[in-house]
Amino acid sequence: MRIAIVGGKGTLGGHVTAELARRGHDVRVLSRSGEYHVDLSTGDGLADALQDCDAVVDASNASSPKRAQAVLVEGSGRLLAAEAVAGVAHHVCISIVGCDQVPVGYYKVKVGQERVVEQGSTPWSIIQATQFHELAASALAAAARFLVLPVPGMKLQTVAAAEVAGAVADVTEGAPARGRIRVAGPQIMTAAEVARTWRAVTGRRALLMPVPVPGRLGRALRSGGLTVSRPDICGNISFADWLASQPQDGAAGSAGPGAKAQG
Ligand SMILES: NC(=O)c1ccc[n+]([C@@H]2O[C@H](COP(=O)([O-])OP(=O)(O)OC[C@H]3O[C@@H](n4cnc5c(N)ncnc54)[C@H](OP(=O)(O)O)[C@@H]3O)[C@@H](O)[C@H]2O)c1
């Protein structure tokens, strides 16, 4: 298949690109700095980049809610319009487990993105993933520079981006699900357990600092709004094992490529 991967050099997109290429597909990396230059916030380059593509994986991202609205919601509209012209048969959207449960600006944008995809004319699949190990590690590494690890009362179920990429590749090769596929990590942990694990494996010193999260947001996070007890696809690599496999001055020990991203 010829598959376009928007954001194909990002934290997840890089793994998706590698996995689909390994499986023998003809992959095109689309982004502002990709081999196919596109900008979802304007639509530049999409028409040419999507010519003759069978499927599109949208692994783009943006950090601020305003940019995210332009890239993920309005950008999905632009992407789907270009797909309709190019005759793309399958649009694969990457979203987040529980984005409709947890009242955070970025997650509201993700819900908006899902809605645009559901209403688009290209047959679709939505893969909802939990937070990547990469995101947790880079957030903790950034905080540890100040010798503290802020730990809100919340549950997490982080997963290796490489394992999510395997699921994305499987879904992309298959028929459009016209539904959601939830991919999650092997363990549900509190944020404090994640922080202690990070400290133990990296050997870094930092004090855990509980952060109260009041109101509806706090309740949603504490009750596991970002986790799923029975995911459709469950990763095998624990946060501790993933961390131990990373160079400690690389993704696990400093802000990695997804450092400013959200998920
Ligand atoms: N990170 C997580 O923990 C997590 C968890 C669950 C789901 N997700 C979802 O997974 C997706 C990918 O997240 P990620 O963390 O892998 O993202 P990321 O590492 O920040 O990569 C984002 C990619 O998007 C591209 N991009 C940004 N703005 C663009 C634009 N205007 N036009 C075209 N491409 C653009 C970037 O390339 P250029 O800068 O070259 O344009 C980059 O390749 C997102 O939808 C996110 O919500 C993430």
Side-chain angles (χ1 to χ4, degrees):
M1 290 168 72
R2 183 167 292 132
I3 304 169
I5 301 141
V6 190
K9 289 209 255 180
T11 308
L12 176 64
H15 286 290
V16 173
T17 301
E19 179 60 22
L20 286 169
R22 192 186 65 75
R23 296 185 188 194
H25 296 290
D26 179 2
V27 295
R28 288 182 182 174
V29 172
L30 278 56
S31 79
R32 293 167 303 174
S33 60
E35 53 168 334
Y36 288 80
H37 174 89
V38 306
D39 188 340
L40 287 174
S41 64
T42 60
D44 284 354
L46 287 174
D48 287 344
L50 295 184
Q51 268 183 28
D52 304 319
C53 285
D54 303 298
V56 169
V57 177
D58 183 4
S60 65
N61 206 0
S63 47
S64 80
K66 200 171 157 204
R67 284 284 307 155
Q69 177 72 23
V71 174
L72 302 180
V73 182
E74 292 145 28
S76 287
R78 294 182 189 98
L79 183 56
L80 289 159
E83 289 174 17
V85 174
V88 170
H90 191 181
H91 178 95
V92 180
C93 166
I94 314 300
S95 191
I96 301 175
V97 165
C99 61
D100 58 339
Q101 305 291 315
V102 177
V104 166
Y106 175 76
Y107 292 159
K108 286 184 191 149
V109 171
K110 295 299 292 182
V111 172
Q113 180 185 18
E114 289 191 2
R115 207 162 286 147
V116 170
V117 170
E118 284 174 291
Q119 291 168 357
S121 59
T122 308
W124 54 275
S125 304
I126 293 175
I127 297 176
Q128 291 186 327
T130 52
Q131 285 62 46
F132 305 154
H133 292 330
E134 285 84 344
L135 178 72
S138 67
L140 289 164
R145 288 196 213 114
F146 304 98
L147 300 176
V148 288
L149 300 178
V151 284
M154 69 184 290
K155 291 181 187 166
L156 288 162
Q157 194 173 4
T158 61
V159 63
E163 291 196 302
V164 178
V168 173
D170 291 344
V171 168
T172 305
E173 286 176 329
R178 291 193 193 269
R180 287 163 180 70
I181 297 121
R182 291 184 298 181
V183 185
Q187 293 167 298
I188 297 179
M189 300 164 83
T190 63
E193 287 168 337
V194 171
R196 279 193 209 100
T197 301
W198 182 85
R199 213 171 44 178
V201 178
T202 63
R204 299 274 296 273
R205 288 169 55 173
L207 206 63
L208 265 62
M209 187 177 70
V211 178
V213 186
R216 202 157 67 86
L217 174 60
R219 282 194 296 280
L221 293 174
R222 278 190 298 279
S223 66
L226 294 176
T227 64
V228 51
S229 52
R230 284 207 219 139
D232 301 296
I233 301 168
C234 191
N236 293 308
I237 305 171
S238 70
F239 184 54
D241 288 347
W242 177 85
L243 264 181
S245 73
Q246 301 298 305
Q248 291 310 316
D249 56 349
S254 67
K260 278 198 286 179
Q262 300 206 43

